[in-house]
């Protein structure tokens, strides 16, 4: 694991985690949920008609894109130093994907089934929550760096 803990905790208290712990945890969780969503999209694309109402080509493209995103988030979370620009890019990607899911769920751009609208609407909310949690994690790292914690300054570039 790339996060460290301090052994200088007071007796009877847990060691303090570094400021990157939240961001790394959210990125790993985002990666796992994105991979699961990708598998669902690709499995649905294998059917003659998807239960969501998505055209097969869109389901395949979305699933493949999500596989790449899941891998990128996992690799980013494993970096010893989290590049701020890449983290900001991950946050922006989640925001754009969440907005796209919301637009697809709320309009007739794609002939979704009722289940498809609910599924993509829920996906929009989940992706927005990940974007927000990643932003909170990035802010924690920035605050720790500004406060002058040498351990946390080394965690982001």
């Amino acid at each position: 694991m790339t996060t460290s803990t301090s052994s200088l905790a007071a007796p009877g208290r847990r060691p303090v985690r570094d400021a990157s712990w939240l961001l790394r945890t959210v990125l790993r969780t985002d990666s796992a949920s994105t991979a699961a969503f990708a598998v669902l999209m690709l499995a649905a694309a294998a059917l003659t008609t998807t239960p969501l109402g998505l055209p097969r080509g869109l389901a395949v493209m979305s699933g493949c894109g999500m596989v790449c995103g899941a891998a990128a988030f996992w690799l980013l979370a494993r970096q010893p130093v989290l590049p701020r620009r890449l983290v900001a890019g991950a946050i922006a990607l989640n925001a754009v994907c969440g907005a796209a899911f919301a637009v697809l769920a709320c309009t007739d751009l794609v002939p979704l089934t009722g289940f498809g609208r609910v599924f993509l609407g829920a996906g929009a909310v989940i992706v927005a929550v990940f974007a927000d949690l990643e932003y909170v994690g990035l802010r924690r790292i920035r605050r720790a760096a500004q406060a002058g914690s040498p351990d946390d300054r080394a965690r982001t570039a």
Side-chain angles (χ1 to χ4, degrees), residues 56-83:
R56 178 179 276 171
L58 183 58
V60 169
M61 283 189 333
S62 299
C64 290
M66 285 186 246
V67 167
C68 295
F73 289 165
W74 185 264
L75 291 173
L76 181 58
R78 293 179 47 91
Q79 295 300 307
V81 175
L82 291 166

PDB file of all heavy atoms in Angstrom, residues 56-83:
ATOM      1  N   ARG A  56     -26.501  -1.037 -29.228  1.00  0.00           N
ATOM      2  CA  ARG A  56     -25.375  -1.927 -28.946  1.00  0.00           C
ATOM      3  C   ARG A  56     -24.034  -1.209 -29.081  1.00  0.00           C
ATOM      4  O   ARG A  56     -23.158  -1.351 -28.228  1.00  0.00           O
ATOM      5  CB  ARG A  56     -25.424  -3.130 -29.869  1.00  0.00           C
ATOM      6  CG  ARG A  56     -24.254  -4.072 -29.653  1.00  0.00           C
ATOM      7  CD  ARG A  56     -24.327  -5.255 -30.547  1.00  0.00           C
ATOM      8  NE  ARG A  56     -25.193  -6.223 -29.879  1.00  0.00           N
ATOM      9  CZ  ARG A  56     -25.631  -7.329 -30.452  1.00  0.00           C
ATOM     10  NH1 ARG A  56     -25.348  -7.583 -31.695  1.00  0.00           N
ATOM     11  NH2 ARG A  56     -26.377  -8.170 -29.787  1.00  0.00           N
ATOM     12  N   GLY A  57     -23.860  -0.424 -30.131  1.00  0.00           N
ATOM     13  CA  GLY A  57     -22.589   0.284 -30.338  1.00  0.00           C
ATOM     14  C   GLY A  57     -22.262   1.235 -29.204  1.00  0.00           C
ATOM     15  O   GLY A  57     -21.118   1.331 -28.761  1.00  0.00           O
ATOM     16  N   LEU A  58     -23.269   1.947 -28.707  1.00  0.00           N
ATOM     17  CA  LEU A  58     -23.054   2.883 -27.597  1.00  0.00           C
ATOM     18  C   LEU A  58     -22.704   2.125 -26.320  1.00  0.00           C
ATOM     19  O   LEU A  58     -21.833   2.556 -25.552  1.00  0.00           O
ATOM     20  CB  LEU A  58     -24.286   3.758 -27.387  1.00  0.00           C
ATOM     21  CG  LEU A  58     -24.191   4.825 -26.308  1.00  0.00           C
ATOM     22  CD1 LEU A  58     -23.033   5.782 -26.585  1.00  0.00           C
ATOM     23  CD2 LEU A  58     -25.504   5.591 -26.204  1.00  0.00           C
ATOM     24  N   ALA A  59     -23.354   0.986 -26.105  1.00  0.00           N
ATOM     25  CA  ALA A  59     -23.047   0.182 -24.911  1.00  0.00           C
ATOM     26  C   ALA A  59     -21.615  -0.340 -24.962  1.00  0.00           C
ATOM     27  O   ALA A  59     -20.902  -0.324 -23.951  1.00  0.00           O
ATOM     28  CB  ALA A  59     -24.044  -0.971 -24.781  1.00  0.00           C
ATOM     29  N   VAL A  60     -21.177  -0.796 -26.148  1.00  0.00           N
ATOM     30  CA  VAL A  60     -19.802  -1.310 -26.280  1.00  0.00           C
ATOM     31  C   VAL A  60     -18.789  -0.188 -26.094  1.00  0.00           C
ATOM     32  O   VAL A  60     -17.815  -0.333 -25.352  1.00  0.00           O
ATOM     33  CB  VAL A  60     -19.605  -2.003 -27.651  1.00  0.00           C
ATOM     34  CG1 VAL A  60     -18.137  -2.308 -27.908  1.00  0.00           C
ATOM     35  CG2 VAL A  60     -20.423  -3.286 -27.718  1.00  0.00           C
ATOM     36  N   MET A  61     -19.015   0.957 -26.747  1.00  0.00           N
ATOM     37  CA  MET A  61     -18.088   2.092 -26.596  1.00  0.00           C
ATOM     38  C   MET A  61     -18.021   2.561 -25.150  1.00  0.00           C
ATOM     39  O   MET A  61     -16.934   2.826 -24.623  1.00  0.00           O
ATOM     40  CB  MET A  61     -18.512   3.259 -27.495  1.00  0.00           C
ATOM     41  CG  MET A  61     -18.171   3.062 -28.937  1.00  0.00           C
ATOM     42  SD  MET A  61     -18.411   4.514 -29.997  1.00  0.00           S
ATOM     43  CE  MET A  61     -19.671   5.442 -29.206  1.00  0.00           C
ATOM     44  N   SER A  62     -19.178   2.655 -24.497  1.00  0.00           N
ATOM     45  CA  SER A  62     -19.204   3.093 -23.098  1.00  0.00           C
ATOM     46  C   SER A  62     -18.468   2.101 -22.204  1.00  0.00           C
ATOM     47  O   SER A  62     -17.682   2.497 -21.342  1.00  0.00           O
ATOM     48  CB  SER A  62     -20.645   3.246 -22.612  1.00  0.00           C
ATOM     49  OG  SER A  62     -21.323   4.207 -23.357  1.00  0.00           O
ATOM     50  N   GLY A  63     -18.740   0.814 -22.404  1.00  0.00           N
ATOM     51  CA  GLY A  63     -18.082  -0.209 -21.591  1.00  0.00           C
ATOM     52  C   GLY A  63     -16.575  -0.207 -21.761  1.00  0.00           C
ATOM     53  O   GLY A  63     -15.826  -0.274 -20.789  1.00  0.00           O
ATOM     54  N   CYS A  64     -16.119  -0.092 -23.013  1.00  0.00           N
ATOM     55  CA  CYS A  64     -14.664  -0.055 -23.262  1.00  0.00           C
ATOM     56  C   CYS A  64     -14.036   1.202 -22.659  1.00  0.00           C
ATOM     57  O   CYS A  64     -12.949   1.137 -22.073  1.00  0.00           O
ATOM     58  CB  CYS A  64     -14.387  -0.129 -24.760  1.00  0.00           C
ATOM     59  SG  CYS A  64     -14.767  -1.736 -25.475  1.00  0.00           S
ATOM     60  N   GLY A  65     -14.702   2.311 -22.785  1.00  0.00           N
ATOM     61  CA  GLY A  65     -14.200   3.551 -22.186  1.00  0.00           C
ATOM     62  C   GLY A  65     -14.113   3.450 -20.673  1.00  0.00           C
ATOM     63  O   GLY A  65     -13.157   3.927 -20.055  1.00  0.00           O
ATOM     64  N   MET A  66     -15.106   2.793 -20.079  1.00  0.00           N
ATOM     65  CA  MET A  66     -15.097   2.637 -18.618  1.00  0.00           C
ATOM     66  C   MET A  66     -13.993   1.691 -18.151  1.00  0.00           C
ATOM     67  O   MET A  66     -13.430   1.887 -17.069  1.00  0.00           O
ATOM     68  CB  MET A  66     -16.461   2.175 -18.136  1.00  0.00           C
ATOM     69  CG  MET A  66     -17.490   3.274 -18.156  1.00  0.00           C
ATOM     70  SD  MET A  66     -19.024   2.738 -17.433  1.00  0.00           S
ATOM     71  CE  MET A  66     -20.053   2.803 -18.858  1.00  0.00           C
ATOM     72  N   VAL A  67     -13.692   0.664 -18.950  1.00  0.00           N
ATOM     73  CA  VAL A  67     -12.572  -0.224 -18.600  1.00  0.00           C
ATOM     74  C   VAL A  67     -11.281   0.598 -18.546  1.00  0.00           C
ATOM     75  O   VAL A  67     -10.488   0.468 -17.598  1.00  0.00           O
ATOM     76  CB  VAL A  67     -12.452  -1.391 -19.603  1.00  0.00           C
ATOM     77  CG1 VAL A  67     -11.129  -2.112 -19.447  1.00  0.00           C
ATOM     78  CG2 VAL A  67     -13.618  -2.359 -19.444  1.00  0.00           C
ATOM     79  N   CYS A  68     -11.083   1.445 -19.539  1.00  0.00           N
ATOM     80  CA  CYS A  68      -9.886   2.304 -19.556  1.00  0.00           C
ATOM     81  C   CYS A  68      -9.879   3.271 -18.375  1.00  0.00           C
ATOM     82  O   CYS A  68      -8.841   3.468 -17.732  1.00  0.00           O
ATOM     83  CB  CYS A  68      -9.815   3.085 -20.868  1.00  0.00           C
ATOM     84  SG  CYS A  68      -9.579   2.034 -22.311  1.00  0.00           S
ATOM     85  N   GLY A  69     -11.022   3.859 -18.074  1.00  0.00           N
ATOM     86  CA  GLY A  69     -11.116   4.776 -16.938  1.00  0.00           C
ATOM     87  C   GLY A  69     -10.835   4.076 -15.618  1.00  0.00           C
ATOM     88  O   GLY A  69     -10.134   4.608 -14.753  1.00  0.00           O
ATOM     89  N   ALA A  70     -11.375   2.870 -15.462  1.00  0.00           N
ATOM     90  CA  ALA A  70     -11.138   2.106 -14.236  1.00  0.00           C
ATOM     91  C   ALA A  70      -9.653   1.818 -14.053  1.00  0.00           C
ATOM     92  O   ALA A  70      -9.107   1.964 -12.950  1.00  0.00           O
ATOM     93  CB  ALA A  70     -11.938   0.803 -14.259  1.00  0.00           C
ATOM     94  N   ALA A  71      -8.986   1.431 -15.135  1.00  0.00           N
ATOM     95  CA  ALA A  71      -7.545   1.165 -15.058  1.00  0.00           C
ATOM     96  C   ALA A  71      -6.771   2.432 -14.722  1.00  0.00           C
ATOM     97  O   ALA A  71      -5.847   2.410 -13.892  1.00  0.00           O
ATOM     98  CB  ALA A  71      -7.050   0.576 -16.380  1.00  0.00           C
ATOM     99  N   ALA A  72      -7.157   3.532 -15.325  1.00  0.00           N
ATOM    100  CA  ALA A  72      -6.470   4.807 -15.059  1.00  0.00           C
ATOM    101  C   ALA A  72      -6.635   5.233 -13.610  1.00  0.00           C
ATOM    102  O   ALA A  72      -5.675   5.673 -12.964  1.00  0.00           O
ATOM    103  CB  ALA A  72      -6.990   5.892 -16.002  1.00  0.00           C
ATOM    104  N   PHE A  73      -7.843   5.108 -13.067  1.00  0.00           N
ATOM    105  CA  PHE A  73      -8.077   5.498 -11.667  1.00  0.00           C
ATOM    106  C   PHE A  73      -7.271   4.605 -10.724  1.00  0.00           C
ATOM    107  O   PHE A  73      -6.715   5.077  -9.732  1.00  0.00           O
ATOM    108  CB  PHE A  73      -9.558   5.422 -11.308  1.00  0.00           C
ATOM    109  CG  PHE A  73     -10.406   6.492 -11.951  1.00  0.00           C
ATOM    110  CD1 PHE A  73     -11.776   6.363 -11.971  1.00  0.00           C
ATOM    111  CD2 PHE A  73      -9.851   7.621 -12.525  1.00  0.00           C
ATOM    112  CE1 PHE A  73     -12.578   7.338 -12.552  1.00  0.00           C
ATOM    113  CE2 PHE A  73     -10.636   8.599 -13.107  1.00  0.00           C
ATOM    114  CZ  PHE A  73     -12.005   8.453 -13.113  1.00  0.00           C
ATOM    115  N   TRP A  74      -7.212   3.314 -11.027  1.00  0.00           N
ATOM    116  CA  TRP A  74      -6.454   2.380 -10.175  1.00  0.00           C
ATOM    117  C   TRP A  74      -4.963   2.732 -10.201  1.00  0.00           C
ATOM    118  O   TRP A  74      -4.317   2.795  -9.154  1.00  0.00           O
ATOM    119  CB  TRP A  74      -6.677   0.950 -10.643  1.00  0.00           C
ATOM    120  CG  TRP A  74      -6.019  -0.049  -9.729  1.00  0.00           C
ATOM    121  CD1 TRP A  74      -4.802  -0.632  -9.881  1.00  0.00           C
ATOM    122  CD2 TRP A  74      -6.534  -0.529  -8.495  1.00  0.00           C
ATOM    123  NE1 TRP A  74      -4.539  -1.461  -8.822  1.00  0.00           N
ATOM    124  CE2 TRP A  74      -5.577  -1.421  -7.959  1.00  0.00           C
ATOM    125  CE3 TRP A  74      -7.713  -0.305  -7.794  1.00  0.00           C
ATOM    126  CZ2 TRP A  74      -5.779  -2.080  -6.751  1.00  0.00           C
ATOM    127  CZ3 TRP A  74      -7.915  -0.968  -6.593  1.00  0.00           C
ATOM    128  CH2 TRP A  74      -6.947  -1.836  -6.087  1.00  0.00           C
ATOM    129  N   LEU A  75      -4.427   2.960 -11.398  1.00  0.00           N
ATOM    130  CA  LEU A  75      -3.013   3.320 -11.508  1.00  0.00           C
ATOM    131  C   LEU A  75      -2.719   4.648 -10.824  1.00  0.00           C
ATOM    132  O   LEU A  75      -1.674   4.806 -10.177  1.00  0.00           O
ATOM    133  CB  LEU A  75      -2.596   3.371 -12.978  1.00  0.00           C
ATOM    134  CG  LEU A  75      -2.555   2.017 -13.692  1.00  0.00           C
ATOM    135  CD1 LEU A  75      -2.311   2.209 -15.181  1.00  0.00           C
ATOM    136  CD2 LEU A  75      -1.502   1.114 -13.082  1.00  0.00           C
ATOM    137  N   LEU A  76      -3.619   5.597 -10.956  1.00  0.00           N
ATOM    138  CA  LEU A  76      -3.427   6.893 -10.304  1.00  0.00           C
ATOM    139  C   LEU A  76      -3.385   6.737  -8.790  1.00  0.00           C
ATOM    140  O   LEU A  76      -2.524   7.325  -8.122  1.00  0.00           O
ATOM    141  CB  LEU A  76      -4.543   7.854 -10.724  1.00  0.00           C
ATOM    142  CG  LEU A  76      -4.493   9.270 -10.161  1.00  0.00           C
ATOM    143  CD1 LEU A  76      -3.183   9.957 -10.540  1.00  0.00           C
ATOM    144  CD2 LEU A  76      -5.681  10.079 -10.680  1.00  0.00           C
ATOM    145  N   ALA A  77      -4.290   5.935  -8.241  1.00  0.00           N
ATOM    146  CA  ALA A  77      -4.331   5.732  -6.788  1.00  0.00           C
ATOM    147  C   ALA A  77      -3.060   5.082  -6.266  1.00  0.00           C
ATOM    148  O   ALA A  77      -2.687   5.272  -5.107  1.00  0.00           O
ATOM    149  CB  ALA A  77      -5.542   4.880  -6.410  1.00  0.00           C
ATOM    150  N   ARG A  78      -2.359   4.322  -7.105  1.00  0.00           N
ATOM    151  CA  ARG A  78      -1.148   3.608  -6.682  1.00  0.00           C
ATOM    152  C   ARG A  78       0.124   4.438  -6.787  1.00  0.00           C
ATOM    153  O   ARG A  78       1.181   3.990  -6.358  1.00  0.00           O
ATOM    154  CB  ARG A  78      -0.988   2.337  -7.512  1.00  0.00           C
ATOM    155  CG  ARG A  78      -2.069   1.313  -7.236  1.00  0.00           C
ATOM    156  CD  ARG A  78      -1.897   0.071  -8.078  1.00  0.00           C
ATOM    157  NE  ARG A  78      -0.534  -0.434  -8.078  1.00  0.00           N
ATOM    158  CZ  ARG A  78      -0.051  -1.334  -7.222  1.00  0.00           C
ATOM    159  NH1 ARG A  78      -0.825  -1.824  -6.294  1.00  0.00           N
ATOM    160  NH2 ARG A  78       1.190  -1.750  -7.313  1.00  0.00           N
ATOM    161  N   GLN A  79       0.042   5.625  -7.346  1.00  0.00           N
ATOM    162  CA  GLN A  79       1.240   6.458  -7.491  1.00  0.00           C
ATOM    163  C   GLN A  79       1.761   6.884  -6.115  1.00  0.00           C
ATOM    164  O   GLN A  79       0.980   7.279  -5.257  1.00  0.00           O
ATOM    165  CB  GLN A  79       0.926   7.713  -8.317  1.00  0.00           C
ATOM    166  CG  GLN A  79       0.548   7.424  -9.741  1.00  0.00           C
ATOM    167  CD  GLN A  79       1.663   6.719 -10.473  1.00  0.00           C
ATOM    168  OE1 GLN A  79       2.787   7.167 -10.496  1.00  0.00           O
ATOM    169  NE2 GLN A  79       1.330   5.594 -11.085  1.00  0.00           N
ATOM    170  N   PRO A  80       3.075   6.820  -5.902  1.00  0.00           N
ATOM    171  CA  PRO A  80       3.617   7.254  -4.614  1.00  0.00           C
ATOM    172  C   PRO A  80       3.376   8.752  -4.385  1.00  0.00           C
ATOM    173  O   PRO A  80       3.178   9.184  -3.260  1.00  0.00           O
ATOM    174  CB  PRO A  80       5.109   6.945  -4.700  1.00  0.00           C
ATOM    175  CG  PRO A  80       5.374   6.488  -6.083  1.00  0.00           C
ATOM    176  CD  PRO A  80       4.096   6.297  -6.803  1.00  0.00           C
ATOM    177  N   VAL A  81       3.380   9.508  -5.471  1.00  0.00           N
ATOM    178  CA  VAL A  81       3.074  10.936  -5.409  1.00  0.00           C
ATOM    179  C   VAL A  81       1.910  11.160  -6.360  1.00  0.00           C
ATOM    180  O   VAL A  81       1.982  10.807  -7.536  1.00  0.00           O
ATOM    181  CB  VAL A  81       4.290  11.794  -5.831  1.00  0.00           C
ATOM    182  CG1 VAL A  81       3.919  13.262  -5.871  1.00  0.00           C
ATOM    183  CG2 VAL A  81       5.458  11.552  -4.888  1.00  0.00           C
ATOM    184  N   LEU A  82       0.823  11.726  -5.846  1.00  0.00           N
ATOM    185  CA  LEU A  82      -0.361  11.951  -6.669  1.00  0.00           C
ATOM    186  C   LEU A  82      -0.200  13.237  -7.473  1.00  0.00           C
ATOM    187  O   LEU A  82      -0.174  14.320  -6.891  1.00  0.00           O
ATOM    188  CB  LEU A  82      -1.608  12.048  -5.786  1.00  0.00           C
ATOM    189  CG  LEU A  82      -2.030  10.753  -5.118  1.00  0.00           C
ATOM    190  CD1 LEU A  82      -3.037  11.019  -4.011  1.00  0.00           C
ATOM    191  CD2 LEU A  82      -2.606   9.801  -6.141  1.00  0.00           C
ATOM    192  N   PRO A  83      -0.112  13.146  -8.805  1.00  0.00           N
ATOM    193  CA  PRO A  83       0.005  14.360  -9.622  1.00  0.00           C
ATOM    194  C   PRO A  83      -1.311  15.138  -9.581  1.00  0.00           C
ATOM    195  O   PRO A  83      -2.357  14.617  -9.968  1.00  0.00           O
ATOM    196  CB  PRO A  83       0.281  13.834 -11.032  1.00  0.00           C
ATOM    197  CG  PRO A  83       0.659  12.399 -10.862  1.00  0.00           C
ATOM    198  CD  PRO A  83       0.011  11.935  -9.599  1.00  0.00           C
TER     199      PRO A  83
END
